[in-house]
C-alpha cells in the first residue's frame, strides 16, 4: 500500500464524528490525563477548516511571523497580525477551541495593558482564549486575565519570545534547570491557566510537570509524556524549510507545490495551458 493511501486511511479514521459540539475551555481542561489532546496551529481560514476536522484546539501562534511573513523570529509580530489571522481562523473553525497568541510586547508591561490587549483579541476575533509565554513572572497577569473572563493558556520551557535573553532557541535538557520549569508550571496552574504549552524540554522533565499539575500539558518537542501535542501545521506537512528534531513530517507539500508550479510554467510556455476544457466557448 502506498504511503499516500495509508495516510488517507489513517486520516479518515482520525476524523472526528460529524456533529460534535464546539470544544470549550472547561471541556479542554477536563481532558487532563484522558485521551491525548490534538492541537495544531492555523493561520488562515482554509487551513483552519482542514485542521478543525481532527483537532481539539487550534492555535493562532505567533510563529506565523516566521512561517507566513518570513520574519527571522517571532519578536516583530504585532497585535494587528494576530487579530487579522485570528479572525480568519475563527471563520474557518467551528469545532475546535480557538486560541490566539499574545505577541511580544503586548502583555508584559502591566496586568492592565495585558487585559486591554487580550480583550481586544477576544472581541475582534471571537476566539475563546489567549496564550502567553512566561512562567512565575507572568502568574499575576494570568490571574488578572482569568479572573476577568479571559481564559489563558500558558507557555513555559523554551520560550521563543525570550530568544535574546536565552541566546537562541535552546531546549531545556540540563537537569540543573528542571526545578525552575516545574516551579513555572505550578505557578501558572495556581494563577488559573486552563492549560499549558510545554516547549523543548527533556522527556523526564515533561513527565514530572504533567504529574505535578492538574491542567493539561500540551507538548511541542516535549515527548509523549504530555497530555496532548501541538505542531506547527506547515512543519508537519513539509511546507517550511527548517525542520527541528522534534517535528515529524507527515507530508511533503513543498515538493508537490514545486512540481505543480513547474508543470504549470512549462505548459504556459508551450501554450498547452489553457486547453479547450479551461476555455470559454462563444454562446
Ligand atoms: O507560536 C506558536 O506556533 C506556538 C506553538 C509552537 C506552541 O507557540
Amino acid at each position: 500500500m502506498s504511503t499516500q493511501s495509508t495516510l488517507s486511511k489513517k486520516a479518515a479514521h482520525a476524523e472526528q464524528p460529524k456533529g460534535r459540539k464546539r470544544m470549550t475551555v472547561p471541556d479542554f481542561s477536563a481532558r487532563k490525563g484522558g485521551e491525548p489532546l490534538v492541537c495544531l496551529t492555523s493561520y488562515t481560514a482554509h487551513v483552519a477548516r482542514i485542521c478543525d476536522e481532527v483537532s481539539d484546539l487550534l492555535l493562532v501562534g505567533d510563529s506565523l511571523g516566521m512561517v507566513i511573513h518570513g520574519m527571522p523570529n517571532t519578536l516583530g509580530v504585532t497585535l494587528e497580525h494576530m487579530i487579522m489571522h485570528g479572525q480568519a481562523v475563527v471563520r474557518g473553525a467551528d469545532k475546535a477551541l480557538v486560541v490566539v497568541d499574545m505577541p511580544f510586547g503586548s502583555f508584559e508591561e502591566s496586568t492592565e495593558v495585558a487585559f486591554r490587549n487580550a480583550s481586544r483579541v477576544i472581541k475582534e476575533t471571537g476566539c475563546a482564549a489567549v496564550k502567553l509565554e512566561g512562567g512565575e513572572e507572568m502568574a499575576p497577569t494570568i490571574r488578572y486575565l482569568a479572573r476577568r473572563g479571559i481564559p489563558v493558556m500558558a507557555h513555559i520551557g523554551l520560550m521563543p519570545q525570550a530568544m535574546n535573553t536565552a541566546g537562541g532557541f535552546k531546549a531545556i535538557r540540563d537537569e540543573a534547570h528542571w526545578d525552575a520549569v516545574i516551579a513555572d508550571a505550578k505557578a501558572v496552574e495556581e494563577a488559573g491557566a486552563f492549560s499549558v504549552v510545554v516547549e523543548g524540554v527533556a522527556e523526564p522533565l515533561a513527565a514530572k510537570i504533567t504529574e505535578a499539575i492538574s491542567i493539561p500539558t500540551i507538548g511541542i518537542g516535549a515527548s509523549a509524556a504530555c497530555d496532548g501535542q501541538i505542531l506547527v501545521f506547515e512543519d508537519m506537512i513539509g511546507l517550511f524549510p527548517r525542520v527541528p528534531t522534534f517535528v515529524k513530517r507527515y507530508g511533503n507539500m513543498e515538493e508537490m507545490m514545486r512540481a505543480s508550479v513547474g508543470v504549470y510554467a512549462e505548459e504556459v510556455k508551450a501554450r498547452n495551458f489553457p486547453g479547450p476544457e479551461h476555455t470559454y466557448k462563444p454562446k
Side-chain angles (χ1 to χ4, degrees), residues 105-123:
S106 70
F107 62 96
E108 303 89 335
E109 190 178 337
S110 69
T111 52
E112 289 81 2
V113 168
F115 184 82
R116 192 174 314 129
N117 288 330
S119 59
R120 247 194 91 188
V121 169
I122 300 272
K123 268 182 205 288

Side-chain angles (χ1 to χ4, degrees), residues 133-153:
E133 291 183 20
E136 277 185 312
E137 74 286 8
M138 279 302 143
T141 302
I142 294 171
R143 182 172 297 108
Y144 192 90
L145 297 183
R147 287 197 178 160
R148 286 161 179 78
I150 301 184
V152 180
M153 181 175 213

Side-chain angles (χ1 to χ4, degrees), residues 22-31 97 99 128-129 151-152 194-195:
R22 159 92 74 183
M23 175 71 80
T24 65
V25 164
D27 293 339
F28 192 86
S29 296
R31 287 271 295 276
L97 180 68
V99 177
V152 180
F194 72 91
S195 173

Side-chain angles (χ1 to χ4, degrees), residues 62-205:
D62 64 351
S63 50
L64 63 81
M66 298 166 78
V67 177
I68 299 283
H69 295 277
M71 297 176 183
N73 53 54
T74 58
L75 302 179
V77 175
T78 65
L79 204 57
E80 282 64 36
H81 286 128
M82 298 312 303
I83 289 173
M84 182 182 284
H85 288 282
Q87 289 169 337
V89 170
V90 168
R91 283 183 207 117
D94 63 5
K95 297 290 179 282
L97 180 68
V98 178
V99 177
V100 175
D101 241 345
M102 296 297 292
F104 178 66
S106 70
F107 62 96
E108 303 89 335
E109 190 178 337
S110 69
T111 52
E112 289 81 2
V113 168
F115 184 82
R116 192 174 314 129
N117 288 330
S119 59
R120 247 194 91 188
V121 169
I122 300 272
K123 268 182 205 288
E124 294 181 32
T125 68
C127 72
V130 298
K131 174 168 86 58
L132 56 86
E133 291 183 20
E136 277 185 312
E137 74 286 8
M138 279 302 143
T141 302
I142 294 171
R143 182 172 297 108
Y144 192 90
L145 297 183
R147 287 197 178 160
R148 286 161 179 78
I150 301 184
V152 180
M153 181 175 213
H155 182 151
I156 61 168
L158 188 163
M159 292 179 269
Q161 292 176 10
M163 59 160 296
N164 284 326
T165 39
F169 299 121
K170 296 210 169 113
I172 299 162
R173 301 160 75 172
D174 183 347
E175 216 171 326
H177 302 300
W178 292 7
D179 283 350
V181 185
I182 295 169
D184 281 342
K186 289 182 175 167
V188 299
E189 175 201 26
E190 198 273 323
F194 72 91
S195 173
V196 57
V197 167
V198 180
E199 179 164 358
V201 306
E203 182 167 18
L205 174 55

